[in-house]
Amino acid sequence: MVRFSVKKGLVVAVLALESLYLLAALKKLADLEEECEGKNEETPPDDRNAKNEPWPPIYIITPTYKRTTQIADMTRMSQTLMHVPNLHWIVVEDALKTSDVVRELLVRSGIPFTHLCAVMPDEYKEKPMMGKGVFNRREGIRWLRENAREGVLYFADDDNSYDIRLFEQMRSTKKVSVFPVGMILSLGISSPVIRDGKVVGFHDGFQGGRKFAVDMAGFAVNLRVLHANPDATIPLRLSYLEDGFLRHLRIELDDLEPLAWGCTQVLVWHTKTHKPGTPKMEHVTHADFDTNLVDLYRNILR
Ligand code: UGA
Ligand code: MN
């Protein structure tokens, strides 16, 4: 009799343990499922829409310069931006005057745009360690200060690749938003480091004493912050353009708003277009003077 109840007790204990184990396994599975759903979530709907308030505009400043790959890069970029509503594209050529090819591309895109130019003054040309696209970005900022009150500013180089979800996310920028940039420097990624929802530092292949170790493509700024700092500008020193500009805006690490699902995903890539050979009219031989090649070269050399 005693032997029977010990046996029964053992069976009950084993069964109870198994049930507990099963319950724990089910809970773990449910948690995992929730996590996956969170990761695949789309940009949350903008609740300004529900209140019928218009979306704030996004002002994109793109510095660009004449080179063999320019029109390929700018075509890809324009056809990305064509998918983004309420956007104003400020394209600033690094040149003494704006070009027809860029203007025609802008008109074709149907995107509201401002087409400007600004060239690096001669006295800087010989200086070492000069950043690229500084004076044309500055010209874009000057235009914004004079012409736009509300909205969000983003510096978008002409050769990067952009996921259009990034633009929707950056509309909610209150001061300065930050996000990862893929395919960059030695680490292959540059990202803010987030702990408990706050930016606590930067994971970037080049620190160099920078307070904000970010790429130009890794942040967006609310125009209120730009207007509150009328002297803020892009400094000249190579690799310190972003850090210098953000310091001028007098913001702190604590003010930074992480996007891209808490900086867990990449929505912009620092792609670089392979430089091909240089097309020249001399490549057309005498025997081909009466063919399409003359017009083709004329068009690509404009
Ligand atoms: C990196 C950063 O991502 C840039 O934001 C930064 O301006 C640049 O370094 C720098 O060296 O200061 P990276 O891919 O090396 O970018 O540079 P590019 O893509 O060649 O140039 C950045 C932007 O400036 C492009 O939109 C480009 O069209 C423009 N640019 C470049 C000019 O307007 N003029 C130039 O002479 C060269
Ligand atoms: Mn680039």
Side-chain angles (χ1 to χ4, degrees):
M1 185 70 188
V2 172
R3 215 200 281 157
F4 176 73
S5 43
V6 167
K7 210 172 173 188
K8 200 172 162 194
L10 258 174
V11 170
V12 168
V14 166
L15 274 176
L17 262 175
E18 267 183 358
S19 313
L20 274 176
Y21 181 77
L22 202 69
L23 269 174
L26 279 173
K27 165 129 190 13
K28 201 165 176 193
L29 206 67
D31 286 352
L32 266 178
E33 234 167 59
E34 224 166 67
E35 209 175 283
C36 290
E37 269 168 27
K39 278 207 179 119
N40 291 330
E41 208 186 340
E42 292 298 305
T43 310
D46 193 329
D47 66 355
R48 263 180 301 248
N49 246 357
K51 288 184 235 145
N52 274 339
E53 284 173 31
W55 290 349
I58 297 172
Y59 291 92
I60 306 272
I61 295 182
T62 297
T64 188
Y65 72 111
K66 191 171 169 58
R67 61 197 188 277
T68 322
T69 56
Q70 181 186 29
I71 298 306
D73 285 337
M74 286 291 285
T75 299
R76 187 178 66 228
M77 178 156 190
S78 69
Q79 294 188 4
T80 298
L81 297 184
M82 278 160 70
H83 295 282
V84 184
N86 203 5
L87 173 141
H88 191 95
W89 195 11
I90 304 160
V91 174
V92 198
E93 291 192 61
D94 187 348
L96 284 168
K97 60 188 195 74
T98 55
S99 67
D100 289 342
V101 261
V102 171
R103 175 164 298 278
E104 284 161 22
L105 185 144
L106 291 171
V107 171
R108 256 195 326 274
S109 75
I111 301 167
F113 70 87
T114 297
H115 186 193
L116 307 166
C117 62
V119 77
M120 183 188 286
D122 284 341
E123 68 258 39
Y124 295 104
K125 286 200 173 130
E126 299 310 313
K127 289 199 176 163
M129 302 296 285
M130 288 288 298
K132 296 174 224 159
V134 171
F135 291 90
N136 33 352
R137 284 197 193 95
R138 284 184 179 177
E139 173 64 3
I141 296 173
R142 183 205 58 76
W143 184 92
L144 261 184
R145 284 203 167 104
E146 287 177 13
N147 295 284
R149 290 247 53 86
E150 283 198 330
V152 172
L153 156 65
Y154 181 56
F155 294 107
D157 290 353
D158 58 2
D159 58 341
N160 293 337
S161 306
Y162 305 90
D163 183 322
I164 55 174
R165 291 176 296 173
L166 178 64
F167 302 104
E168 291 323 311
Q169 293 200 6
M170 72 173 64
R171 276 187 209 281
S172 62
T173 305
K174 291 183 190 73
K175 285 185 176 173
V176 175
S177 57
V178 285
F179 30 86
V181 180
M183 294 170 68
I184 193 163
L185 292 174
S186 53
L187 302 176
I189 183 88
S190 165
S191 177
V193 179
I194 313 298
R195 185 168 292 126
D196 299 329
K198 288 275 182 195
V199 178
V200 294
F202 299 94
H203 179 76
D204 188 285
F206 174 68
Q207 293 292 330
R210 294 187 296 168
K211 180 174 179 184
F212 303 100
V214 295
D215 181 69
M216 199 59 91
F219 67 92
V221 179
N222 191 296
L223 288 191
R224 271 194 306 271
V225 180
L226 187 74
H227 288 306
N229 296 283
D231 296 326
T233 189
I234 310 260
L236 302 172
R237 188 175 164 203
L238 183 71
S239 308
Y240 290 84
L241 311 185
E242 304 82 352
D243 184 51
F245 182 66
L246 290 172
R247 281 175 193 251
H248 285 177
L249 293 180
R250 293 180 301 154
I251 44 137
E252 292 305 325
L253 229 57
D254 213 38
D255 294 321
L256 300 178
E257 304 147 50
L259 299 183
W261 298 278
C263 296
T264 62
Q265 298 207 36
V266 176
L267 295 174
V268 52
W269 293 264
H270 194 258
T271 44
K272 280 186 176 289
T273 309
H274 172 72
K275 205 168 169 265
T278 309
K280 292 183 182 131
M281 198 50 104
E282 295 95 272
H283 297 168
V284 184
T285 59
H286 197 258
D288 285 328
F289 275 2
D290 57 347
T291 71
N292 64 308
L293 295 186
V294 176
D295 278 346
L296 179 61
Y297 271 85
R298 210 172 266 147
N299 282 332
I300 62 174
L301 292 173
R302 280 176 71 209

